Amino acid sequence: MSTAFLIGTGKYDITGSVVGSAMMGMSKMGQVTEGIHTRLFSRAFIIGEENDISKRVVIAVADIWSCTIAVKKEVVKRLKDYFGDKYKDENVLITGTHTHSGAGGYSYYPLYISLTGGFDKQNFECIVNGIVESIKIADGNLKTCQIELSKGLINDCGQNRSIEAYNNNPEEEKNRYNASTDNEMTFIRFKNNNKYIGSINWYPIHPTSLGENNKFISGDNKGLASYYFESNINLSQNTGKEFIAAFANSNCGDVSGNVKYGKPPEGKDDFIRMVFYATKLYNQAMRLIKADAETIEGKINYCHTYINMSNILISNSDFKTYPAALGISMLGGSSIDSTSQIPFIKEGLKKGDIMPPIVSEIVQKIFDVLVQVLINFDHPDDLDNEFINGHGNKLIAVAAGLTKPYPLVADILPIQIFTIGSIAILGIPGEITTMAGRRLKEQLQTKLARAGIEHVILCGYSNAYSGYITTKEEYDMQYYEGASTYYGPYTLMAYQQEFTRLAGSIINGSALEQNIAPMDLSGLFKDAKIEKYGSDGTGLVFVDANNSYKKGESVEVKFIGTHPFNDPRTNDTFLKIEKKENENWKTVFTDNDPYTFFHWEAGFISSSILSIKWQTYQDTEAGEYRISYFGNKKDFSQVVGRSKVFQIIDN
Ligand SMILES: [Zn+2]
């Protein structure tokens, strides 16, 4: 008889600010949301022992760039208000899929919000509320389940985007692996009475198929893979919407799907690239849900602690970490995925290069001004030698950890381990590169073997964000990831040491003493969004449909409606593609389906024009259709607009 676990699953909309919010990930000025390609969701999984309520963990995988301390703390606070002590910091893990096509403004740390529109209360609220609701739903439907694990490789699904940095790792270490990325998907599935109610998989790839010019909200390759997989499994099992599938991220710090094909092109071609990678992820998930799998047996455990990354001494060495500093090469972004916002900044600029002292000075001056003028923060005029030397090869552009009144990025960070039978999941508060991930995994594998652990899973973007984590050798090259490793060349070693310490407490069954916590900055942030949301239209058709379209053509209609800021229509839709069946209108697609695009633009005299585009295909059913638009006025009352009835005809 295999071990039975209690499993609950829940999914809730976190789409957030549909229009006018700076998008999070590319750090591109002017990349502001203008509509929806697919909605974003939090997918929550509660995994517990059958007879012990204290042995229970929550994994919430959200279609966001990363979890932040602000989001985690507020979610836990609301869970405590609702459930009491059942769910807390220690046993709740919130991870972002790392989509770069969602609205931002949900961190309290200025680096992530100061230049992109400030704190976005509406978006923060949607994300926090959606995660909390997904966990409540999961808590309400706990069932006895088996957990099964399988693994599989995916070919040509992401390459190393900083190969020069990767290649600086020791030869003998590289020789142990046959690729410069980890292209294995780890897949766990939850089975109840021979039906699957959910699955989580981890695979390292940047969801940057949609490029820096995209303004549609989208879960990118991972979100789309979830959409395909959930639709298909629910259809084949006849389980309605019960089956929930999360595509989480892993050690993808230096992994991108754009290396081989170039920067995502403008416009619709990047949507084709997203489908390409989503299909690869989906196909492997389809194989792994059917594949022979290992049944997971045993107990559940969890451990969590805060560490001060600005000052960790590495045992038996002279090494330590330092308060955060951003390297010059970080300012340009990854050259594979985006265009540098600052001319003449390229990857790999480091101490001792001939040009850099001048570049360094100019950039530092620019940032001094930005830091002080834009957000009233003080940046030290002179950096002491210990700090400069401590950051090794990094050419320091901004001493982000030394600004006053508080640092531009987090210094106190959460680390977390869950064990579920022979599986250990590491909640890592940043972006870890391929080789850095392998080192951490190997060390924890060895340590946790004593607790019966056979599978260590790296779960990046968990509970907080703190830039990248590279190996010392990669750091020395100062490519984008190395320049974005905030706490110096020994950041990875610090994580290895601290995660090992945390693993020790799992083995001993003793909780770690906790005497530090992140600063509470929640009171300091007001919504920075200016209220100018125009007049409320009535849903009047502005550009109507044609009489008929051939299969494969796209249908586009425009309405004069309301500004989506009035209400993001959470768990609902701004549009319906409706088909006439037996004199009734049946909804075939909403704004969450990848075949539709919902777009806002400013119209005349502060009105809102809403465009709805539907891409048909050869397998679209012929027949009579109409497109309906739904919006909310400032007083939340609903307006509805309808296109004329049109035909989809065979070619
Ligand atoms: Zn990233």
Side-chain angles (χ1 to χ4, degrees):
M1 182 63 194
S2 57
T3 314
F5 294 93
L6 269 187
I7 311 283
T9 59
K11 178 177 166 184
Y12 206 89
D13 188 352
I14 55 165
T15 302
S17 299
V18 178
V19 169
S21 184
M23 295 174 85
M24 197 62 217
M26 295 291 183
S27 303
K28 183 170 175 179
M29 304 282 264
Q31 196 196 9
V32 171
T33 55
E34 283 183 4
I36 299 177
H37 176 239
T38 52
R39 282 190 176 258
L40 307 179
F41 295 96
S42 167
R43 294 173 169 87
F45 303 83
I46 296 176
I47 305 170
E49 287 183 18
E50 271 211 304
N51 303 316
D52 187 351
I53 199 166
S54 74
K55 298 291 182 186
R56 196 176 273 195
V57 294
V58 180
I59 302 172
V61 183
D63 292 324
I64 54 177
W65 157 79
S66 174
C67 187
T68 62
I69 291 171
V71 167
K72 173 78 188 275
K73 286 199 98 53
E74 187 61 24
V75 167
V76 167
K77 180 173 167 286
R78 293 188 196 184
L79 289 174
K80 277 198 173 151
D81 289 347
Y82 189 81
F83 288 109
D85 233 11
K86 193 153 61 163
Y87 304 118
K88 48 203 171 187
D89 238 3
E90 289 80 1
N91 67 346
V92 174
L93 184 157
I94 303 172
T95 181
T97 60
H98 203 40
T99 177
H100 284 46
S101 291
Y106 49 88
S107 171
Y108 290 141
Y109 287 96
L111 183 67
Y112 315 111
I113 54 173
S114 60
L115 301 178
T116 51
F119 191 73
D120 186 333
K121 211 155 129 194
Q122 184 186 50
N123 199 43
F124 177 73
E125 181 56 34
C126 281
I127 291 171
V128 167
N129 177 63
I131 295 171
V132 170
E133 290 304 316
S134 67
I135 294 169
K136 283 186 192 168
I137 295 168
D139 182 87
N141 68 19
L142 291 160
K143 296 179 182 68
T144 302
C145 285
Q146 253 76 53
I147 303 177
E148 299 167 340
L149 177 142
S150 51
K151 294 179 185 179
L153 297 174
I154 313 181
N155 283 328
D156 188 21
C157 192
Q159 276 82 34
N160 197 304
R161 70 181 184 187
S162 288
I163 192 70
E164 297 84 353
Y166 176 88
N167 282 338
N168 201 39
N169 288 309
E171 285 305 316
E172 63 273 19
E173 185 180 34
K174 284 183 288 176
N175 290 342
R176 290 169 48 211
Y177 304 95
N178 52 19
S180 55
T181 65
D182 283 343
N183 49 358
E184 185 176 62
M185 180 182 277
T186 303
F187 185 93
I188 58 175
R189 58 200 197 199
F190 308 118
K191 190 165 76 178
N192 167 259
N193 289 333
N194 292 319
K195 279 189 179 172
Y196 294 108
I197 62 160
S199 73
I200 314 174
N201 71 70
W202 287 264
Y203 182 86
I205 185 170
H206 258 75
T208 47
S209 295
L210 299 183
E212 61 191 355
N213 296 307
N214 171 52
K215 293 182 177 179
F216 286 99
I217 287 177
S218 168
D220 207 296
N221 47 42
K222 285 186 180 276
L224 189 55
S226 282
Y227 173 92
Y228 290 154
F229 194 43
E230 287 172 353
S231 316
N232 207 310
I233 297 298
N234 276 319
L235 196 68
S236 65
Q237 291 191 146
N238 198 15
T239 35
K241 291 186 174 177
E242 188 187 22
F243 177 78
I244 288 168
F247 285 66
N249 227 321
S250 190
N251 52 333
C252 81
D254 49 2
V255 187
S256 169
N258 298 326
V259 179
K260 230 171 132 176
Y261 306 100
K263 221 170 285 171
E266 282 201 45
K268 78 182 215 297
D269 290 351
D270 44 3
F271 286 86
I272 295 169
R273 190 173 300 180
M274 173 173 67
V275 171
F276 175 77
Y277 284 112
T279 305
K280 279 180 176 284
L281 296 168
Y282 160 74
N283 284 340
Q284 183 57 279
M286 280 301 278
R287 277 192 286 275
L288 291 175
I289 201 165
K290 295 171 190 156
D292 288 344
E294 176 185 335
T295 302
I296 300 301
E297 314 270 353
K299 298 277 178 199
I300 287 176
N301 229 320
Y302 53 84
C303 204
H304 171 282
T305 193
Y306 287 106
I307 56 175
N308 182 355
M309 276 304 284
S310 69
N311 184 22
I312 289 185
L313 308 173
I314 313 293
S315 305
N316 306 317
S317 78
D318 298 329
F319 307 145
K320 68 184 285 289
T321 59
Y322 289 86
L326 316 180
I328 277 181
S329 296
M330 178 197 169
L331 305 179
S334 164
S335 54
I336 296 296
D337 289 325
S338 58
T339 314
S340 177
Q341 298 288 292
I342 302 171
F344 62 73
I345 295 293
K346 61 180 178 63
E347 292 196 63
L349 289 175
K350 53 184 181 290
K351 257 183 217 163
D353 289 350
I354 297 163
M355 260 292 285
I358 310 148
V359 177
S360 164
E361 223 169 272
I362 296 168
V363 171
Q364 201 161 322
K365 284 271 153 18
I366 294 171
F367 263 74
D368 279 356
V369 171
L370 286 179
V371 160
Q372 280 155 19
V373 172
L374 282 181
I375 41 176
N376 287 322
F377 272 58
D378 279 323
H379 184 263
D381 291 332
D382 294 305
L383 301 173
D384 67 46
N385 280 337
E386 197 206 337
F387 181 79
I388 293 171
N389 294 335
H391 279 278
N393 273 1
K394 188 187 282 169
L395 257 177
I396 298 170
V398 184
L402 298 178
T403 54
K404 297 275 185 282
Y406 54 87
L408 300 182
V409 300
D411 48 2
I412 310 291
L413 290 167
I415 57 172
Q416 188 176 40
I417 302 177
F418 287 173
T419 61
I420 302 161
S422 58
I423 300 170
I425 298 167
L426 311 188
I428 303 165
E431 318 202 25
I432 192 163
T433 62
T434 304
M435 196 63 98
R438 288 168 178 166
R439 287 187 196 173
L440 179 62
K441 192 171 173 172
E442 196 167 74
Q443 183 162 341
L444 270 289
Q445 190 88 65
T446 309
K447 176 82 180 176
L448 285 165
R450 281 158 58 195
I453 298 302
E454 291 164 25
H455 312 281
V456 173
I457 293 170
L458 305 167
C459 189
Y461 313 96
S462 293
N463 303 321
Y465 184 78
S466 62
Y468 283 74
I469 304 157
T470 62
T471 67
K472 161 77 167 61
E473 294 82 353
E474 290 162 357
Y475 182 94
D476 288 346
M477 298 294 284
Q478 285 295 299
Y479 274 63
Y480 173 64
E481 296 79 12
S484 311
T485 296
Y486 299 164
Y487 313 98
Y490 303 107
T491 300
L492 171 63
M493 279 192 189
Y495 276 114
Q496 286 176 284
Q497 170 175 299
E498 296 304 299
F499 265 109
T500 303
R501 192 166 66 93
L502 194 60
S505 88
I506 290 238
I507 292 167
N508 305 333
S510 59
L512 287 182
E513 201 182 311
Q514 188 65 78
N515 46 26
I516 51 169
M519 281 179 287
D520 183 3
L521 302 170
S522 58
L524 297 175
F525 285 85
K526 303 281 172 278
D527 191 359
K529 216 163 191 172
I530 306 155
E531 303 222 2
K532 48 164 188 184
Y533 308 117
S535 56
D536 290 330
T538 57
L540 194 78
V541 179
F542 179 56
V543 176
D544 211 340
N546 299 337
N547 291 331
S548 68
Y549 297 85
K550 288 179 183 159
K551 288 180 178 180
E553 288 186 328
S554 66
V555 183
E556 188 167 2
V557 292
K558 295 185 185 208
F559 301 89
I560 299 175
T562 63
H563 198 292
F565 182 84
N566 295 344
D567 188 332
R569 296 182 68 82
T570 299
N571 273 354
D572 203 334
T573 181
F574 284 101
L575 67 93
K576 285 180 181 173
I577 311 295
E578 296 169 296
K579 183 171 189 291
K580 200 168 191 183
E581 283 181 4
N582 307 323
E583 297 311 304
N584 293 318
W585 288 101
K586 181 191 158 200
T587 303
V588 288
F589 297 118
T590 68
D591 63 13
N592 180 46
D593 289 287
Y595 322 107
T596 62
F597 292 83
F598 176 72
H599 184 258
W600 172 92
E601 66 191 301
F604 316 108
I605 334 167
S606 81
S607 65
S608 287
I609 296 180
L610 294 310
S611 307
I612 296 173
K613 199 169 117 184
W614 172 34
Q615 178 63 53
T616 72
Y617 290 91
Q618 292 307 320
D619 58 1
T620 303
E621 275 182 57
E624 270 187 295
Y625 289 85
R626 69 178 186 191
I627 293 178
S628 297
Y629 155 71
F630 304 87
N632 292 73
K633 293 186 182 175
K634 290 188 194 69
D635 64 6
F636 301 111
S637 64
Q638 185 174 274
V639 300
V640 181
R642 289 219 157 88
S643 76
K644 71 179 179 196
V645 176
F646 58 90
Q647 304 280 335
I648 298 293
I649 54 174
D650 292 313
N651 296 355

